[in-house]
Amino acid sequence: QNLTSSHQVVCTKTSFNIKMVKVCATALFVLCTVSTTDAFTQPTAPRLSSQQTSGKHVTGHCVTPVKLSTKSMDAVTESVTVNEQDEKRKILNEPNLWEYNFGLQDPGLTLPHGIVKDVSPPEKFEITEEQIRTLEEDGVVHIKNVYDAEWVDYLRKATAHQVDNPHFWAFAGTASKLYDYIQRNVWQTNRAFASFYYHSALGHVLSQCGRTDEIRISTDLLMVNPNKGFKWHQDNQNGPIEWEEGIRFWITMDETPKEYGAPVYLKGSHRNTAVDDQAVFVDIEQHELMEYNQQRLEFRTQPGDMLIWHPRCIHKVDGPEDGIWTSYRRVLGGTAAKGGSFYHDKTGTGGVLSDLGRHGLRDGDKLQSPFFPIVYPQFDKKEARARDDGTVGRSPRDIVGKLGGLAGKASGDKFFSFFKVLGSR
């Protein structure tokens, strides 16, 4: 009888429910997927394919064009170019509902430089003391050419496979139209990204930047084309760690468009005391931030570059005015935890959104778990096996339990603060 009654309500309120579905999709994105570092339009053109990986690659210390496309990609590019003369078209299509996948995925990619999967030690990339001091003083540093053409190709192919085979955990973010594709903790489901963390120079670079002898992945995010961008904000989806325990990273796979898409930071703003820890959106016109507002740093990253910054450093990313990307902006980003970090249970606050796994850690425990894998100085084979056998992942029971405390005022304010961040300018 209750079911019949409910069915009648649905039938008589179809219009209302359609609107609610859109609202809930966006809300679910915040609850399950979103990172507040990065960021609605209707897709029309072909989706990214594993064959569609053309672009510029990094070779050594200069950017040189490397042809990776096939004839099919040439056809797509030509089609998009022609269509743009009449009507601007998106380069990436939204997945159909039946295309989403569950469980673990493995593109089966060959690692660059002869690296043997789960055997070879991680690579190294030396940075300078000047770069480290720049990060400490400015709150952000741009490190060029960390990854060569082979690594860029590897990441593009891993991203192409992921977009061609979308995972269920990307559904809410993609349905919300915030990104063409976005998935948190992609390393947990896609083996190619886990292998990248295990074997690339990421851990070595971050260890130098953080002056630490250990690096763990606290949370990560695969982001393809932020449709509108994010306004001025600070990052607080950093996993279960505190500000000073974390270090943010971006790895770019594409050139930054000339008109938009370049991250902009307020120099030195990581030292500000005006912005509340729980805030996402930041009003940079407030008096206490004026000294930082006058010093803006813009970075036009190239394939293979890294951006590294303090989680409290205030920044924004502008998307295209109309929300239509006619090229790719593929980024693998996230937060790494420095050695000596502890687990901080953020249940009841918005910070829990990037910690939805059933790892068993309690507040104050040392951050040591396969859910937060060590990648420097050496990945742990036991932790890698736990990921490969499916032990590591999101727990429905934990999602319900941890999100249960989000009804309070502080978390509600943070939720609405997040929506203030969305926008093209």
Side-chain angles (χ1 to χ4, degrees), residues 263-312:
V264 183
Y265 294 75
L266 299 188
K267 183 178 179 180
S269 59
H270 61 301
R271 295 190 296 267
N272 89 84
T273 58
V275 182
D276 185 86
D277 285 353
Q278 290 297 313
V280 181
F281 170 74
V282 176
D283 178 9
I284 65 170
E285 300 302 326
Q286 57 183 294
H287 177 73
E288 295 84 355
L289 295 178
M290 290 305 295
E291 63 173 302
Y292 307 113
N293 193 0
Q294 305 304 314
Q295 302 183 73
R296 302 187 182 188
L297 302 172
E298 179 179 280
F299 300 99
R300 309 202 71 81
T301 54
Q302 298 291 321
D305 291 358
M306 287 188 72
L307 272 180
I308 301 171
W309 68 96
H310 189 287
R312 281 186 65 89

Side-chain angles (χ1 to χ4, degrees), residues 185-190 193-194 197-198 217 220 370-371 373 387 392:
N185 288 342
V186 67
W187 73 271
Q188 293 183 358
T189 59
N190 188 317
F193 292 105
Y197 291 137
Y198 298 159
I217 300 299
D220 76 342
F371 285 76
R387 179 236 166 260
V392 174

Side-chain angles (χ1 to χ4, degrees), residues 27 49 61 85 122 149 159 176 201 205 225 227 235 237 247 270 276 305 309 326 330 337 344 417 420 423:
S49 142
H61 291 281
Q85 297 176 359
T159 301
S176 72
V205 171
N225 297 355
N227 286 321
D235 298 322
Q237 287 304 308
I247 184 168
H270 61 301
D276 185 86
D305 291 358
W309 68 96
T326 57
R330 294 161 286 192
H344 302 273
S417 177
K420 289 181 180 179

